[in-house]
Amino acid sequence: MAIDKTSKTMHSTLWVVQALLSVTLVWAAYMKLFQSPQALAAMWPWAGQVPPVLVKLTGTLDLLAGIGLVLPALLRVGPALTFAAAVGLVLLMVCAMFFHLSRGESPVFNAAFGLLAAFVAWGRRGQSASPCRAS
């Protein structure tokens, strides 16, 4: 059974997933980039046990992914970047899963995010992601 990636329902579903991922990623980026190490460690113990530069790096990657999932398509400037951001997010989540597994922590959150990002990458591959697409 083939799935019609051009249907309005699929297009809307992809936009909802992109928006949810984006909001969550921008929030995580804000926390990692602007909160104190103590505040982060209280919420995410790993953040107090790794070099601060790693926390800032993941925050920067979260911010880039969060922006890349929605902004190119909204501005209609390089909507293919949405696909690239989704693929980058999948790779980031795979790395995060290995990181958390190596620490004996659950990778479920990262796996769920990775699957949602993979869905966006699949749905946006080779097509414009404009929210105002006529069909």
Side-chain angles (χ1 to χ4, degrees):
M1 178 175 143
I3 297 175
D4 182 12
K5 292 195 301 186
T6 62
S7 76
K8 285 184 180 185
T9 301
M10 180 61 74
H11 183 69
S12 297
T13 302
L14 285 164
W15 265 107
V16 168
V17 172
Q18 285 171 240
L20 291 173
L21 285 172
S22 180
V23 167
T24 305
L25 287 164
V26 170
W27 171 81
Y30 170 79
M31 297 300 289
K32 292 174 184 177
L33 294 172
F34 299 109
Q35 295 298 308
S36 70
Q38 297 80 15
L40 284 178
M43 187 170 40
W44 300 315
W46 67 267
Q49 300 166 356
V50 299
V53 70
L54 180 61
V55 177
K56 299 297 183 195
L57 174 65
T58 61
T60 301
L61 293 173
D62 289 347
L63 182 61
L64 291 172
I67 291 169
L69 286 172
V70 294
L71 199 58
L74 283 175
L75 297 178
R76 296 183 182 189
V77 176
L81 293 173
T82 300
F83 169 75
V87 170
L89 183 55
V90 169
L91 295 173
L92 179 63
M93 290 301 110
V94 168
C95 292
M97 287 184 342
F98 282 115
F99 171 78
H100 290 293
L101 282 170
S102 75
R103 296 173 44 83
E105 300 166 348
S106 173
V108 172
F109 177 81
N110 304 109
F113 253 57
L115 288 173
L116 289 171
F119 170 69
V120 172
W122 169 80
R124 296 301 186 204
R125 182 172 173 251
Q127 70 179 31
S128 170
S130 171
C132 302
R133 192 175 84 204
S135 299

